[in-house]
Amino acid sequence: MEIINQNIALREDKQLLVITHLTQYLDYVTGFGGLIVPLILWLTNRDAVLGMNEHGKSIINLQLSLILYVVIGIPGILLLGMGILLLVFAGILSLVMPIVNAVRASNGESPSYFGTIRFID
């Protein structure tokens, strides 16, 4: 019978956490990747980097919330134009929150994404 040591030392890598938050801007640069790249970084490093699991979940929750807001907002434009407000809210949220949380990650604080739905807890 083989015993495997489950005690894995987590390393502290604030730079990777900041980069993970800033990769959400790939949607603006390339048109895609704002969900896929942080998802890959989170899945590959969540057991190795201290705080990556918490930050990664927050990033994925934000990206999924933004997709939902856009999917609801586009048809909502036809209903008295109320979808425009939702799209403006999603746009501001997608521009401001990654920078705020990248700064919070560099300071060693936990992420705080305003207006997100917790899909992954």
Side-chain angles (χ1 to χ4, degrees):
M1 184 164 146
E2 184 176 325
I3 298 174
I4 299 173
N5 187 4
Q6 296 294 329
N7 296 329
I8 299 172
L10 296 176
R11 63 179 159 77
E12 185 176 1
D13 194 355
K14 291 180 185 177
Q15 293 172 347
L16 183 61
L17 294 176
V18 170
I19 289 170
T20 306
H21 283 285
L22 295 179
T23 56
Q24 297 176 70
Y25 289 118
L26 285 174
D27 284 337
Y28 295 110
V29 176
T30 62
F32 65 94
L35 173 64
I36 295 170
V37 174
L39 179 66
I40 291 171
L41 287 172
W42 171 55
L43 290 175
T44 57
N45 294 305
R46 67 180 170 190
D47 296 330
V49 176
L50 186 66
M52 178 60 87
N53 198 24
E54 180 183 11
H55 286 270
K57 286 179 185 178
S58 297
I59 293 168
I60 301 306
N61 284 332
L62 174 71
Q63 290 297 316
L64 292 176
S65 297
L66 291 174
I67 290 169
L68 182 66
Y69 295 155
V70 169
V71 167
I72 292 172
I74 290 174
I77 293 173
L78 300 175
L79 301 171
L80 302 172
M82 297 304 287
I84 292 175
L85 295 174
L86 188 60
L87 292 175
V88 168
F89 173 72
I92 292 171
L93 200 67
S94 68
L95 285 173
V96 173
M97 294 312 289
I99 292 175
V100 168
N101 285 298
V103 171
R104 289 177 65 96
S106 69
N107 292 334
E109 301 173 13
S110 61
S112 171
Y113 279 106
F114 171 76
T116 60
I117 302 167
R118 293 189 156 234
F119 294 103
I120 301 170
D121 193 27

